[in-house]
Amino acid sequence: MNTSIYAGSRSMEITALSGLPEVRPGDDIAELIAEAVRSHSSGLRDGDILVVTSKIVSKAEGQVRADESRDATILEETARVVSRRGEVVIAQTHHGFVMAAAGVDASNTERGTVLMLPRDPDASAARIRKGLQDRLGINVGVILSDTFGRPWRIGQMDLAVGIAGVCPALDYKGMHDSYGNPLHVTHIALSDEIAAAGDLVKGKLAGTPIAVVRGLAQYTLNCDGRGATELVRASAEDMFRYGSRDVVFARRTIRSFSSEPVDSRVVERAVIAATAAPAPHHRLPWRFVLLESAQRRCAFLDSIDEVVSSNLCSDGMSEVSLAEHIQRDDVLRNAPYLVVPCMVVEDAHAYRDEQRNAAEREVFVMSMGAGVQNFLVQLAVEGLGSAWVSSTMFCTDTVREVLDLPPGWEPMGTVAIGHPAKKPDEREPLQTDDFILRR
């Protein structure tokens, strides 16, 4: 093993390369850099590393769209949505990078336009590297950089999205530290560190999109190398691909909402999440009625209150208790959005005895509950609060009439949805053994 590249560098010099014009579609980035270098006092040397803002490469390659098509552009660049809250989308691009808005950005581009990442950043870096070899007769490394946010850390930093002629990472596995301890998982993202260092002199507002890093020649290669793809974690090794283990605990019963309106698209995505629940016999028992009209919500709640109050009075509930019960259910009236989950059992199997038919229905009820839970969790993941209230299950005929439900739709409670007015209290810790019987 060649250990010289692991020795580090005692010093390095980082300089912003000035003199580049505004990049236009069709421009040759290598030619623009060569022209700037010829007029630069220090020039370029073998072993230098250029950190190039990917945006100028995107402009040269025509990766520009009109701002009004931003949502469509993000969708085009998205291979997988990782997380979403309001208008903020964290998505995996087709390159494998996990970035805000799939790397679509409206900064440092003409007003009314957005930029996408280069289609193949490694290939773009390799073309710039070869172009400089042809024009200046030198061997340099090229890193295309872009700005990334970081989970669990405030702020953004530049990382490498395209690499040519630079060692992407240093793997210290099998080596020993100064105390003689074996290193097992120390894998340094070298090119990311260089990209971040280059950004310190490029800046975001200075109009100098290229930095020259000198003093790290031991990390340059005589070939293009493996590129930034080496830094993309394989999905099988991604411990956070499906979210942390605490996702389900994001769901809390929220009874107080702010006046901020609810985006119906978030509710629709929660409906899709509901359909990921287990389904009996591959049947799909879930239906959701979205009460988006304030007038319809009031009529719906008035009808429920009338029936529930009548039922409770006939059961002997006192006026004081009845008032307390209605106050608890004010969560439905105070919510800016209501959804009535409904169960459809028309596809249930028909058996010859009632006991098996009853069990069959319970299977559908369990599936319905799983679907509602998925629905509530997805709402919470996207920053919305919710409360499931069971009242519609005690007046199903009235609900069917008021909502004009299709035949066979059985109301399974009502979900109040809105932005939480305050942060919920911490959950009380529960002991696992309280819910387990071991045999």
Side-chain angles (χ1 to χ4, degrees):
M1 177 187 295
N2 179 9
T3 60
S4 62
I5 65 170
Y6 296 96
S9 179
R10 295 300 178 186
S11 66
M12 67 177 179
E13 175 186 341
I14 309 175
T15 308
L17 182 63
S18 58
L20 263 76
E22 176 67 24
V23 175
R24 304 291 181 187
D27 282 350
D28 186 326
I29 297 295
E31 178 60 32
L32 296 180
I33 294 174
E35 286 295 325
V37 166
R38 293 184 183 108
S39 60
H40 207 270
S41 58
S42 60
L44 278 181
R45 303 176 190 171
D46 280 329
D48 285 349
I49 299 173
L50 278 74
V51 180
V52 181
T53 300
S54 65
K55 285 184 172 61
I56 66 169
V57 179
S58 296
K59 292 177 182 178
E61 295 179 357
Q63 291 288 86
V64 185
R65 296 288 187 274
D67 184 58
E68 58 263 24
S69 65
R70 185 174 186 272
D71 289 346
T73 303
I74 292 173
L75 184 61
E76 177 185 340
E77 295 295 293
T78 296
R80 178 174 66 96
V81 173
V82 175
S83 183
R84 189 194 304 266
R85 178 166 295 181
E87 296 299 319
V88 179
V89 178
I90 307 299
Q92 183 179 36
T93 71
H94 297 290
H95 319 86
F97 309 135
V98 177
M99 307 177 69
V104 177
D105 196 355
S107 64
N108 289 303
T109 183
E110 292 184 2
R111 283 176 176 255
T113 64
V114 294
L115 293 173
M116 302 175 286
L117 289 175
R119 190 63 65 187
D120 186 342
D122 285 336
S124 300
R127 282 194 295 272
I128 294 172
R129 177 175 177 271
K130 184 177 186 307
L132 292 173
Q133 283 181 322
D134 294 342
R135 290 168 174 79
L136 303 177
I138 55 174
N139 180 52
V140 296
V142 176
I143 294 175
L144 304 191
S145 69
D146 203 89
T147 304
F148 283 65
R150 300 163 299 159
W152 307 294
R153 299 284 287 185
I154 298 296
Q156 296 81 37
M157 63 184 293
D158 268 26
L159 301 181
V161 296
I163 305 170
V166 182
C167 182
L170 301 179
D171 188 354
Y172 287 81
K173 184 177 181 181
M175 303 182 74
H176 294 78
D177 65 16
S178 58
Y179 294 95
N181 299 311
L183 302 179
H184 300 291
V185 293
T186 305
H187 202 173
I188 304 302
L190 173 68
S191 292
D192 284 344
E193 292 186 328
I194 298 172
D199 188 54
L200 293 176
V201 300
K202 289 190 289 132
K204 301 298 183 188
L205 306 175
T208 50
I210 297 176
V212 179
V213 180
R214 183 164 293 164
L216 302 180
Q218 70 268 36
Y219 301 127
T220 59
L221 308 173
N222 292 320
C223 60
D224 289 335
R226 295 183 295 272
T229 54
E230 182 177 318
L231 299 177
V232 176
R233 191 183 301 277
S235 60
E237 301 171 1
D238 187 352
M239 294 177 63
F240 306 100
R241 185 172 181 83
Y242 300 110
S244 75
R245 70 176 186 85
D246 295 321
V247 165
V248 294
F249 294 102
R251 188 217 64 80
R252 303 296 301 276
T253 296
I254 304 297
R255 296 183 175 276
S256 178
F257 304 102
S258 72
S259 58
E260 184 178 352
V262 171
D263 187 342
S264 62
R265 294 175 298 178
V266 177
V267 178
E268 291 169 10
R269 289 195 291 268
V271 169
I272 296 302
T275 65
H281 319 306
H282 304 289
R283 304 298 195 268
L284 308 179
W286 320 283
R287 304 293 187 271
F288 293 84
V289 183
L290 313 186
L291 300 184
E292 298 179 330
S293 162
Q295 182 178 1
R296 197 65 177 267
R297 286 198 298 273
C298 286
F300 166 72
L301 295 174
D302 288 344
S303 299
I304 291 178
D305 285 349
E306 182 179 347
V307 175
V308 171
S309 297
S310 175
N311 289 342
L312 293 177
C313 286
S314 65
D315 290 340
M317 179 178 282
S318 68
E319 291 186 5
V320 174
S321 297
L322 179 60
E324 292 176 350
H325 178 86
I326 293 175
Q327 186 177 14
R328 285 198 302 271
D329 275 2
D330 273 353
V331 61
L332 296 179
R333 290 197 179 273
N334 295 332
Y337 203 106
L338 297 179
V339 171
V340 179
C342 295
M343 178 176 69
V344 176
V345 296
E346 58 190 18
D347 291 330
H349 289 174
Y351 298 99
R352 293 183 179 181
D353 63 88
E354 289 305 314
Q355 183 175 356
R356 295 174 69 192
N357 283 328
E360 174 77 357
R361 176 180 170 78
E362 291 303 312
V363 170
F364 275 75
V365 171
M366 289 182 65
S367 178
M368 189 68 203
V372 171
Q373 172 73 352
N374 281 9
F375 179 75
L376 301 178
V377 169
Q378 182 63 32
L379 291 174
V381 167
E382 297 215 34
L384 289 175
S386 65
W388 178 78
V389 180
S390 63
S391 52
T392 62
M393 300 177 70
F394 296 89
C395 50
T396 55
D397 290 340
T398 298
V399 174
R400 286 194 187 98
E401 181 180 350
V402 172
L403 298 183
D404 191 24
L405 297 181
W409 286 35
E410 297 185 37
M412 303 295 286
T414 306
V415 179
I417 302 172
H419 294 270
K422 62 179 182 178
K423 182 179 179 181
D425 297 333
E426 294 295 325
R427 287 180 180 272
E428 294 184 5
L430 299 175
Q431 298 300 317
T432 304
D433 286 345
D434 292 341
F435 306 95
I436 292 176
L437 179 63
R438 302 183 188 276
R439 288 290 186 263

